[in-house]
Amino acid sequence: MKTPFVTLDQVQEIVNTHPTPFHLYHEQAIRDNVRALQATFAWNPGFKEYFAVKATPTPGILRILQEEGCGLDCASLAELLLAERMGIVGDEIMFSSNMTPAEEYEKAMELGAIINLDDISHVDFLQDLCGIPAKISCRYNPGGVFALDNEIMDSPGDAKYGMTKEQLVEAYKKLMSYGATEFGIHAFLASNTIADEYYPELAAILFELAVDVQQKTGAKIAFINLSGGIGIPYRPEEQGADIAAIGKGVQEAYNRILVPAGMGDVAIYTELGRFMLGPYGCLVGRVLHKKDIYKQYVGLDACAVDLMRPAMYGAYHHITVLGKESAPLDHVYDVAGSLCENNDKFAIDRPLPEIAIGDYVVIHDTGAHGHAMGYNYNGKLRSAELLQTADGQVKLLRRAETPEDYFATMIF
């Protein structure tokens, strides 16, 4: 079973000031996880984690990550503006987007961000728009399917991201002719995998590509960005990724492929989101209603606007009924919200202890791609975000939306 990082007594105290539903994050666990990642890659002097802002675009969380030495991976104008408002500029930003509007490239150039080009046509697009910076990256797509031990993990050939190898070589040649002097390689081949073999396998592919590209073009490969893809164990029976083993696997590939090619100075970057924050956030809600028809339903004050992954993907999120952590799981419920959508369910046919109206529930692993994916369908308002600080206090990071926020862009 998963153990929440917040207790019933703590929630009952929090709701005196901040009513449910709300997302709650665990500061110390976030800091500890960042430090574990950095220790794992300490063998690479240039290592840097660029946190995927899309996963949790919350300034109070981003500030914690910045204090621990992380940069930001931005993919839109608003994310670039968020970084700017926080005083984060230059090489602390990796701008990795696709189908990119001109104004987003212009803002990335203004901030001095490292730009990661998604398509070969964007080389001339950027050159004509505002010129090519000295340091730049290109995104690679190997096509086909990506498999580990004969298990298909994902299908890069169906993804809209990245360039072919031939396009990558041509892109570097063009970029060099436009004045670029330092280059990066980036790729993303699988999402939310807890297999320890994923990062080392991806690293080997990119390391071999880097050697080939540098030999064919003369481009100085300064960094290789392994992007994201390391997942978390959403189900209690799953074993999480072993970050120490992953780091050792990447190091072995680095020493085997890059070092003999005279490329032992290449920096390793990552763009993790889910792995960095997923387990260290939860959605806390309160039971409003129970319904007994053909199935037994539990209705929360939270709904899919607070956490859309179960509705969108059928994703599993573990649920704990606070105060009943040790009670037998002798009832089966659909745990639902109040949207006028039948897929507005956090769980279907979930064994849980007997639930009463007024109970508080914790929905686990919402620290990444949780609040960030919220929306306003049905006129529902997005919830607050809170931080359980390292000293045990609770701090407001983002207030709950109000009807005034919802109506602010409407013209009556």
Side-chain angles (χ1 to χ4, degrees):
M1 300 298 291
K2 287 177 176 280
T3 302
F5 59 80
V6 64
T7 66
L8 176 59
D9 287 345
Q10 289 172 322
V11 166
Q12 289 173 332
E13 179 66 26
I14 292 170
V15 297
N16 290 327
T17 307
H18 306 290
T20 55
F22 53 78
H23 284 265
L24 180 66
Y25 305 94
H26 192 302
E27 178 184 3
Q28 191 58 56
I30 293 170
R31 292 187 185 274
D32 290 345
N33 193 47
V34 177
R35 293 167 189 174
L37 176 71
Q38 292 170 337
T40 290
F41 285 94
W43 55 267
N44 183 262
F47 173 77
K48 192 170 186 69
E49 155 65 12
Y50 286 88
F51 174 73
V53 173
K54 65 183 179 185
T56 316
T58 306
I61 298 297
L62 300 181
R63 186 67 72 197
I64 292 171
L65 297 173
Q66 182 197 30
E67 290 171 356
E68 295 295 335
C70 298
L72 300 182
D73 165 46
C74 297
S76 70
L77 179 60
E79 290 179 358
L80 289 169
L81 293 171
L82 174 57
E84 182 182 35
R85 288 197 179 195
M86 295 184 64
I88 300 173
V89 296
D91 280 9
E92 293 298 304
I93 301 173
M94 178 74 64
F95 180 63
S96 188
S97 68
N98 69 96
M99 311 301 178
T100 308
E103 61 268 23
E104 297 190 3
Y105 275 139
E106 290 173 331
K107 190 63 183 182
M109 287 288 287
E110 176 191 332
L111 295 180
I114 302 171
I115 293 175
N116 184 36
L117 296 175
D118 184 69
D119 187 70
I120 189 169
S121 66
H122 291 205
V123 175
D124 286 333
F125 183 86
L126 183 61
Q127 168 66 11
D128 294 342
L129 181 68
C130 48
I132 299 296
K135 187 176 184 179
I136 197 163
S137 177
C138 291
R139 190 169 190 170
Y140 172 57
N141 184 330
V145 298
F146 177 73
L148 289 175
D149 297 326
N150 297 319
E151 179 185 353
I152 294 176
M153 309 301 291
D154 217 325
S155 301
D158 292 331
K160 65 175 181 174
Y161 308 111
M163 310 179 198
T164 68
K165 183 177 180 180
E166 293 73 22
Q167 290 174 334
L168 201 71
V169 169
E170 183 182 347
Y172 285 125
K173 290 178 179 178
K174 271 193 171 188
L175 290 165
M176 291 173 70
S177 73
Y178 290 145
T181 57
E182 286 187 274
F183 300 89
I185 294 177
H186 173 288
F188 178 88
L189 302 188
S191 178
N192 191 32
T193 174
I194 53 178
D196 293 345
E197 299 83 7
Y198 169 59
Y199 244 28
E201 185 71 21
L202 170 64
I205 291 171
L206 295 186
F207 295 165
E208 290 172 353
L209 175 68
V211 171
D212 192 34
V213 166
Q214 183 160 298
Q215 290 174 349
K216 287 180 176 177
T217 66
K220 169 61 179 174
I221 305 299
F223 65 88
I224 294 174
N225 191 331
L226 302 179
S227 66
I230 299 178
I232 61 172
Y234 283 102
R235 295 178 180 272
E237 69 271 16
E238 292 176 332
Q239 183 67 38
D242 183 342
I243 195 62
I246 289 170
K248 288 179 181 177
V250 174
Q251 183 179 18
E252 186 279 328
Y254 190 99
N255 291 335
R256 174 169 49 86
I257 300 168
L258 290 182
V259 173
M263 298 174 66
D265 59 345
V266 173
I268 300 299
Y269 295 165
T270 57
E271 285 175 0
L272 299 168
R274 195 186 318 266
F275 176 81
M276 300 303 296
L277 286 181
Y280 314 119
C282 62
L283 173 61
V284 181
R286 184 170 175 266
V287 177
L288 296 182
H289 299 284
K290 294 179 68 178
K291 181 174 183 175
D292 189 356
I293 47 175
Y294 307 105
K295 305 175 77 171
Q296 286 193 310
Y297 292 88
V298 170
L300 305 184
D301 54 3
C303 62
V305 304
D306 303 300
L307 179 66
M308 74 181 302
R309 294 186 72 253
M312 185 175 185
Y313 304 121
Y316 181 95
H317 280 263
H318 199 65
I319 296 176
T320 297
V321 184
L322 291 178
K324 300 180 179 179
E325 291 86 349
S326 300
L329 308 180
D330 53 5
H331 286 64
V332 175
Y333 298 106
D334 280 16
V335 181
S338 59
L339 287 186
C340 294
E341 287 287 344
N342 198 43
N343 66 353
D344 179 24
K345 296 178 180 179
F346 297 110
I348 297 174
D349 296 329
R350 182 72 59 85
L352 290 165
E354 184 174 10
I355 291 176
I357 292 173
D359 280 347
Y360 292 101
V361 302
V362 164
I363 302 176
H364 293 252
D365 301 317
T366 70
H369 308 288
H371 189 281
M373 295 178 73
Y375 56 107
N376 289 118
Y377 181 68
N378 238 170
K380 294 295 183 178
L381 305 175
R382 297 171 70 188
S383 63
E385 291 179 285
L386 311 176
L387 180 69
Q388 188 179 78
T389 64
D391 62 2
Q393 303 300 306
V394 172
K395 176 182 177 182
L396 180 66
L397 299 181
R398 187 196 303 258
R399 65 167 174 80
E401 288 182 340
T402 67
E404 287 71 25
D405 296 320
Y406 179 70
F407 294 128
T409 59
M410 298 183 185
I411 298 172
F412 288 92

